[in-house]
Amino acid sequence: MKKKIIAIAALAITGTLLCQNVVLADGVEEKPYLSLGADLNKKEKATVLELLGVEEDELDEYTVVTVTNKDEHEYLDDYLSASVIGTRALSSVLVEKTDKGDGIDVTTKNITYCTEGMYQNALTTAGIEDADVVVAGPFNITGTAALVGAMNAYEDMTGETISEESKDAATNELVVTSELAEELNDSEKAEQFLALIKEEVLSADIKDQEDINEVIGNCEQKMQIELTEEQRQQIAELMEKINGLDLDLDVLKQQASDIYDELSKLNINTEGFFAKVQAALSRILDYLSNLF
């Protein structure tokens, strides 16, 4: 059912784009993607555009679409209560493709439920690389619906398809991390905790549910976090989803390096964790070298 919901929502948005996002001749870049909440009034729209650094009289320089509250519910009803999603579509997002190797850079403005790190982790899970993303609201809002807008933007700009499984896992990750941050009253720690579990599970190619639960338990001890049984189950199910995705270990390694300093400040032993990542990458490189 989740795949069907996401597919319908993606069609609703991307179908409006038709063939607007085309790379022009002579190396001219395609237009940046601007997704606006359909329920923004004139004043709110002006506020959002200002926060995104977009002049209203220059909108023809962007590929502009709108997202409705119905779209938001189609994306998120399986993961969030209606009270969190709300009744008005206000989340807006600007996405620009960057050069290879630049990574994902996320900025949020007037977003209260999702942090920049949460978006970055979820977009990495979706397989997105090298993009500048700005998420904004006209006033303090949750920003939950912006993730799928960013994923669809990336698809249209690059011509690369993000699988429905990846979209579902990324949305699931954003919500799980947000809820954990609320429980811990510490967004940064929640981001680091989920990122650490994800990296350990993927770098060691851990697929057995019992082994995944062991990783979660070890990470709880390392970061001095005590989860409920329900939270452990949610995270384990999320990791099983993520483990089935075709993710780029190089990108994951970069993400790992981005959180390394913060983990070190918490006196967490990251040596074994990064050694696993490096070993996995070395095996892949050795294999590719032998092919040639």
Side-chain angles (χ1 to χ4, degrees), residues 93-107:
V93 57
L94 175 66
V95 182
E96 297 184 75
K97 189 76 178 74
T98 57
D99 295 334
K100 186 171 180 59
D102 283 351
I104 302 171
D105 184 69
V106 180
T107 303

Side-chain angles (χ1 to χ4, degrees), residues 189-243:
K189 196 167 187 178
E191 294 165 19
Q192 293 162 355
F193 181 62
L194 266 293
L196 181 60
I197 294 172
K198 181 168 66 172
E199 302 296 348
E200 290 209 6
V201 167
L202 292 175
S203 63
D205 195 26
I206 297 173
K207 298 185 182 297
D208 183 77
Q209 186 172 12
E210 186 175 338
D211 292 336
I212 291 174
N213 287 329
E214 184 177 349
V215 170
I216 294 171
N218 290 338
C219 290
E220 283 184 73
Q221 291 181 2
K222 288 177 182 178
M223 297 196 65
Q224 300 179 348
I225 290 174
E226 186 173 350
L227 301 175
T228 65
E229 193 55 44
E230 183 181 358
Q231 289 170 328
R232 291 189 191 97
Q233 183 63 31
Q234 285 179 334
I235 294 172
E237 290 175 356
L238 170 62
M239 291 306 141
E240 287 186 71
K241 285 184 184 180
I242 293 175
N243 211 4

